[in-house]
Amino acid sequence: MTEPATLPTGADARPAPVSFLHALRFWLWLGFVSFGGPAGQIAVMHAELVERRRWISERRFLHALNYCMVLPGPEAQQLATYIGWLLHGTRGGIVAGALFVLPSLAILIALTWAYLRFGELPVIAGILYGIKPAVTAIVVHAAWRIGKRALNNAALWAIAAAAFVAIFALHLPFPLIVVAAAAIGFVGGRIAPQRFRTGGGHGAARISPQPSLIDDDTIVAHAGYRTARLLSVLGVGLALWLSAYLALLATLGHDNPITTMARFFSGAALVTFGGAYAVLPYVYDSAVNQFRWLSAAQMIDGLALGETTPGPLIMIVAFVGFVGGWQTEALAASLGPGHLFASAALAACVATWFTFLPSFVFILAGGPLVEATRDDLRLTAPLTGITAAVVGVILNLALFFAFHVLWPAGFAGRFEWPALAIGIAAAVALMRHGISVPKLIGVCALVGLATHIGSRALLD
């Protein structure tokens, strides 16, 4: 499915202004086709908005992307919010960012309900058997892809290795690793700037011979910086967070699981540097070990479901919330008997709201300031340090998933040789042949189903 574009009448003509309704249709379409993780989502936006529609120039696109990469949170969703804001102001940013998330939330709630109700069926179990090693390969590929781009000198390799040791051997918390890596990048950018200089890892901007609607030199009237506006956006964001939290506090109480989810995901949203793969160990450790909202096996299943849906991978927080709401008696009881699905869906929505609200505030508040800046080492050097640390954290995540996929019952249990074969084949398909993530997930799901049915037939 291709969303119709508004194209200029001539090759050298500037595109006509885009109506808010037309942009809304585009953002809705993007919300349903944004598979492939942040790299795939950013590639789709670049192809559609820079090359095909020419709504924004290459340089302005990359400048916005570099800012989004500095921020905690999902950079692809923030980039959509930023471009929507450039096109149509605050309402454009809110619509673009929300429609990047809402289709995924609805689909994930439906899939998670089906998983909890029918997950023990042989068909579902077989599909998940194939998807989980594929997800492990996707995580390994993410570490390889980011590492190849980011680790271009010995200092950055050292940061990555130290981060891996810190989280794998020393079990240091992820937020502490992020802060330490940012501090190293901040200092390193001053004493050895050549080792911490980055363009965001997306290459140099190409100068297009064709003009764009928002071109390199286009002045966007509503994008001018004003301190009063900055304080206003920050105030509204804080009011939205506080009102939602106080409503939960007043109706459910401080110790209710859904109120705890609001606090936890608010904090998690502020440390999601480096994307979903980097913060997943932190979410896993808290959701599984500390709060016990779900099991380790369910967390892996959730990531498998998250890879099959459009939208940011951090949407796994909706899965965590739904499963926690479904399985936590205190949460279901707070809405009364017979409201199991309602409590689970409410928990998923709360997890999503408190995770993504900061992303909107960061863009709508910081966008005007960013429009007035160009490549500033003070911003990019801490990002370089964080990105290097993220490689080590993602490698730890890959080992975590590999262990639970290959030894689902622990080292004392059976080793899953078919899962290993599926994972290796998936890794080769990703790294050598560049297969898309949706296609990879589909093929591995079918292979897993056939393997599961075949093994059951042999046992029978």
Side-chain angles (χ1 to χ4, degrees), residues 24 28 36 50 110 125 148 220 222 237 246-247 290 308 316 319 327 345 453-454:
L24 186 150
L28 180 61
V50 176
K148 185 175 69 170
V220 181
H222 61 261
L246 290 178
Q290 182 179 353
T308 67
I316 193 176
F319 174 88
Q327 297 183 157
I453 291 175

Side-chain angles (χ1 to χ4, degrees), residues 265-329:
F265 287 114
S266 294
L270 301 178
V271 297
T272 52
F273 295 95
Y277 289 120
V279 80
L280 278 176
Y282 175 53
V283 173
Y284 160 81
D285 183 61
S286 300
V288 175
N289 297 327
Q290 182 179 353
F291 301 115
R292 302 188 184 280
W293 291 328
L294 73 173
S295 68
Q298 287 174 326
M299 188 71 181
I300 297 174
D301 291 343
L303 183 57
L305 289 178
E307 291 283 7
T308 67
T309 58
L313 184 58
I314 196 60
M315 283 301 299
I316 193 176
V317 301
F319 174 88
V320 172
F322 192 97
V323 175
W326 184 276
Q327 297 183 157
T328 305
E329 294 182 4

Side-chain angles (χ1 to χ4, degrees), residues 300-385:
I300 297 174
D301 291 343
L303 183 57
L305 289 178
E307 291 283 7
T308 67
T309 58
L313 184 58
I314 196 60
M315 283 301 299
I316 193 176
V317 301
F319 174 88
V320 172
F322 192 97
V323 175
W326 184 276
Q327 297 183 157
T328 305
E329 294 182 4
L331 184 52
S334 65
L335 295 180
H339 292 85
L340 185 60
F341 176 83
S343 67
L346 176 61
C349 291
V350 165
T352 302
W353 170 264
F354 285 94
T355 297
F356 283 92
L357 178 60
S359 291
F360 287 93
V361 175
F362 291 147
I363 297 301
L364 298 179
L369 190 60
V370 172
E371 281 295 300
T373 67
R374 294 298 171 186
D375 299 326
D376 188 338
L377 191 62
R378 291 174 297 178
L379 291 177
T380 59
L383 168 65
T384 302

